[in-house]
Amino acid sequence: MAMQRALTRITYEIIEHNKGIDGLVILGIKTRGIYLAQRIANRLKQLENATVPVGELDVTKYRDDIEHDSTENDPQVTVSKIDFPLTDKKVILVDDVLYTGRTIRAAMSAIMDLGRPKQINLAVLVDRGHRELPIRADFVGKNIPSSQSERIRVAVTEIDGHDSVEIIDR
């Protein structure tokens, strides 16, 4: 229930911040961000009686903290589903955990390759701190201070069979 309440609060904050849902699109970062994005979109539909487009964004090739095969061409975003334009839209980027900021930086690079949105806002279920880049979430479900030796594990019913957020020692 705590996860559902956090997502509902984020949904209300999105509506208030954007003065409605006109021009709004939601992009979930693979993997769990996609399911959180879909839940936010469903709640927006209940509250505003309108459908907000939801897309899925894979930022793997844009990451600067993983090895890439040097024989590959320039990184291309692998998109499972973005069947709407991003140019001049208000993009809500959704992820499960905000940590160093590198995933979000990669996501913004991927988005800019797909179009030029009017604005990008970030919604995260958990902000755990320890940023390496100057990135902050606009909408946060829960701030969970953690040490760098800990890991935050988010489970969602759609793929894990249950909803939970756990702090795990590495």
Side-chain angles (χ1 to χ4, degrees), residues 117-130:
K118 185 175 189 174
Q119 70 183 38
I120 300 173
N121 289 118
L122 175 60
V124 297
L125 183 63
V126 175
D127 184 343
R128 64 169 290 185
H130 304 289

Side-chain angles (χ1 to χ4, degrees), residues 11-168:
T11 304
Y12 278 109
E13 289 174 3
I14 289 169
I15 294 167
E16 184 177 322
H17 177 82
N18 290 286
K19 297 174 180 53
I21 60 171
D22 289 340
L24 204 66
V25 299
I26 302 175
L27 296 180
I29 298 175
K30 285 188 174 183
T31 296
R32 284 163 182 78
I34 293 168
Y35 301 104
L36 299 175
Q38 290 167 345
R39 291 183 191 188
I40 290 169
N42 290 339
R43 191 71 175 122
L44 283 169
K45 186 172 185 171
Q46 291 172 346
L47 296 170
E48 296 289 305
N49 292 323
T51 300
V52 174
V54 179
E56 301 176 4
L57 191 60
D58 182 346
V59 301
T60 306
K61 292 187 176 186
Y62 287 85
R63 299 289 305 234
D64 65 356
D65 55 348
I66 60 172
E67 291 286 324
H68 294 288
D69 183 349
S70 60
T71 62
E72 290 181 10
N73 295 331
D74 291 335
Q76 297 293 319
V77 65
T78 305
V79 179
S80 294
K81 204 177 355 174
I82 296 181
D83 53 4
F84 47 85
L86 299 180
T87 300
D88 294 326
K89 298 293 183 183
K90 298 176 189 175
V91 174
I92 305 296
L93 188 58
V94 181
D95 203 5
D96 56 350
V97 178
L98 176 57
Y99 180 33
T100 63
R102 293 189 180 278
T103 298
I104 305 310
R105 187 218 50 84
M108 289 191 294
S109 293
I111 289 168
M112 297 311 275
D113 279 354
L114 296 170
R116 188 178 187 285
K118 185 175 189 174
Q119 70 183 38
I120 300 173
N121 289 118
L122 175 60
V124 297
L125 183 63
V126 175
D127 184 343
R128 64 169 290 185
H130 304 289
R131 222 70 83 238
E132 295 174 0
L133 300 171
I135 289 174
R136 103 184 139 69
D138 300 286
F139 314 107
V140 178
K142 183 83 173 158
N143 286 294
I144 300 179
S146 62
S147 74
Q148 289 186 322
S149 66
E150 294 173 319
R151 199 171 134 244
I152 304 288
R153 181 186 308 158
V154 173
V156 293
T157 303
E158 294 88 342
I159 54 176
D160 302 306
H162 67 283
D163 287 341
S164 68
V165 176
E166 302 174 272
I167 301 174
I168 299 167

